Amino acid sequence: MVATGLDEFERLTAEAQSQKFSGWDFSWLKDRLVQGTPPWDYKQEVVKEFPKIRSLLDLGTGGGEFLSSLGQLPRQTYATEGYQPNVAIARDKLKPLHVDVVRTYSEDNTKRPQAGALPFRTESLDMIIDRHESFVAGEVCRVLKRGGIFLTQQVGSANYPELNEFLGAPKTEAVWDLQVARQQISEAGLRVTSGREARLESWFRDVGAVVFFLLAVPWQLEGFSVDRYLDKLKELHRLIFRTGGFSVTARRFYLSSMRQ
């Protein structure tokens, strides 16, 4: 059996489909999806504010992976999560850290009008962090104290466009980038203090990594299934074998802001 054969393709895709994805844990993709690093350190930007604050909210905590990696948290730390299966996972992970996890709902940032109230009192929080989660800027502004900080790192809408193009998937018409996010935040009453954008060269090392990623992140290619894209996935499998990887471009941006 050679690596380009049907048996190898079926093994890789079956392995990817059998993986249990929970929380926001992409560890199965280690060394299979290799991604560049942004020119900023989001974790460092968050942690350096801790000495100044007493209360913290993590929006869209997933399974609590990022929040639990930050070391000593402020005494009043909360987290929200909108995906029901992740809520229990996050609560189990964050309970030893005395973090309350609240289930919430908010629409995608590109939709209008925005909806999704945060279950916190007006002007009650010193800092809100958001790593790859949608947010309602007006609600973020409302619950922050004056002088409160909002730090977010986001995935741009034009993320891995080469993958969608290769598979023949329709392009997304919605635009989510630094400019749009900056406008939302500014209109809500927050003062943007810094913003950066990056294009990161990345590589899928095998077709199984592609399948796992598209199943874990369904908004990348809506309606994806192996059967639906079978011929294109086989073609991609052969390409990766010949070249060693499939190159894609990740889009990331970072915004720091403060309530006036």
Side-chain angles (χ1 to χ4, degrees):
M1 180 181 69
V2 294
T4 54
L6 180 60
D7 288 344
E8 179 68 3
F9 171 82
E10 290 181 345
R11 183 189 70 78
L12 288 168
T13 54
E15 180 186 24
Q17 291 176 92
S18 70
Q19 298 303 309
K20 292 183 178 180
F21 179 71
S22 64
W24 202 234
D25 181 8
F26 287 90
S27 58
W28 189 79
L29 287 178
K30 184 179 180 181
D31 299 326
R32 304 177 78 156
L33 171 54
V34 181
Q35 185 166 284
T37 304
W40 60 85
D41 187 330
Y42 180 67
K43 183 176 180 178
Q44 180 179 333
E45 293 297 321
V46 169
V47 171
K48 77 179 184 181
E49 301 292 342
F50 281 4
K52 311 173 189 176
I53 66 171
R54 295 183 178 181
S55 55
L56 172 71
L57 170 62
D58 179 25
L59 293 180
T61 197
E65 296 87 359
F66 178 72
L67 186 59
S68 64
S69 75
L70 298 179
Q72 185 64 43
L73 298 171
R75 185 171 182 179
Q76 297 178 37
T77 298
Y78 311 93
T80 66
E81 175 55 34
Y83 182 51
Q84 180 60 37
N86 284 350
V87 175
I89 297 169
R91 284 174 177 163
D92 287 343
K93 191 171 189 67
L94 297 174
K95 185 177 180 179
L97 302 178
H98 308 289
V99 176
D100 291 330
V101 179
V102 182
R103 188 186 181 191
T104 55
Y105 172 80
S106 64
E107 293 181 344
D108 186 87
N109 290 84
T110 58
K111 293 185 178 179
R112 289 291 183 272
Q114 291 268 254
L118 291 174
F120 298 92
R121 291 182 291 106
T122 298
E123 297 187 25
S124 61
L125 297 168
D126 294 317
M127 183 175 178
I128 298 176
I129 61 174
D130 176 337
R131 185 176 180 272
H132 304 173
E133 170 71 354
S134 61
F135 60 85
V136 179
E139 279 294 285
V140 169
C141 184
R142 178 185 67 79
V143 301
L144 276 176
K145 297 177 182 178
R146 296 195 179 277
I149 301 164
F150 177 47
L151 299 183
T152 183
Q153 177 176 291
Q154 295 283 319
V155 178
S157 55
N159 192 55
Y160 298 165
E162 300 88 351
L163 180 58
N164 290 51
E165 182 178 351
F166 185 93
L167 295 177
K171 295 181 179 179
T172 178
E173 296 182 1
V175 176
W176 179 236
D177 57 16
L178 179 63
Q179 181 178 350
V180 174
R182 184 192 294 269
Q183 181 177 349
Q184 286 187 14
I185 290 171
S186 299
E187 289 177 351
L190 297 167
R191 178 172 62 85
V192 175
T193 54
S194 66
R196 302 183 70 181
E197 218 165 10
R199 297 185 178 188
L200 312 174
E201 189 173 5
S202 309
W203 297 267
F204 284 98
R205 295 302 192 191
D206 65 70
V207 74
V210 172
V211 170
F212 179 90
F213 174 79
L214 290 175
L215 291 174
V217 186
W219 51 88
Q220 176 73 32
L221 200 170
E222 292 186 9
F224 170 79
S225 71
V226 171
D227 288 342
R228 184 175 181 180
Y229 288 90
L230 187 61
D231 290 340
K232 281 293 185 179
L233 288 171
K234 289 179 180 178
E235 183 181 344
L236 183 58
H237 170 61
R238 292 190 292 268
L239 174 64
I240 292 174
F241 176 75
R242 291 197 310 271
T243 63
F246 181 71
S247 178
V248 292
T249 307
R251 307 294 176 92
R252 299 289 183 270
F253 63 90
Y254 165 81
L255 271 171
S256 171
S257 58
M258 179 180 296
R259 185 179 176 191
Q260 304 180 71

